[in-house]
Amino acid sequence: VQLQASGGGLVQAGESLRLSCAASGRTFGSYTTGWFREVPGKEREFVAAISFSGKTTYYADSVKGRFTISRDNAKSIVNLQMNNLKPEDTAVYYCGADLHGYAGSERLIREYDFWGQGTQVTVSS
């Protein structure tokens, strides 16, 4: 599985960005896909995930109500719509593929098998 993240940038607080992750390799509709973020000096943290079918979504409490994850299995793309961005959302965002998902694994970084290269999101106050 190869993942290519894009869509990061510099915005002001309150603005929006949409991240995209394009996948290739294994059948896209067969695995859970997630977004994590990382800032220097801290562990990579869970942001959002979506089941292989797209029917179930998961969010970190810090982004619930502001971020929306979606996927288009026909195009092998997962998107993360980020609204009302805050300075604390500043991070490098990574998309990941969880090929052997089980209940609860979507939030666990150690369960992800493949990662994209990351895209920088910077939110100024």
Side-chain angles (χ1 to χ4, degrees), residues 22-38:
S24 61
R26 180 168 170 159
T27 303
F28 184 67
S30 66
Y31 54 85
T32 293
T33 309
W35 286 95
F36 286 69
R37 64 189 181 188
E38 186 175 328

Side-chain angles (χ1 to χ4, degrees), residues 7-13 15-17 85 90 119-125:
L10 171 63
V11 297
Q12 293 187 335
E15 294 184 340
S16 300
L17 276 176
L85 283 160
T90 295
T119 184
Q120 176 71 48
V121 172
T122 303
V123 185
S124 63
S125 58

Side-chain angles (χ1 to χ4, degrees), residues 41-59:
K42 293 187 177 181
E43 291 187 355
R44 190 172 298 187
E45 66 173 7
F46 170 75
V47 175
I50 188 166
S51 64
F52 64 92
S53 66
K55 292 181 179 180
T56 307
T57 57
Y58 313 85
Y59 296 95

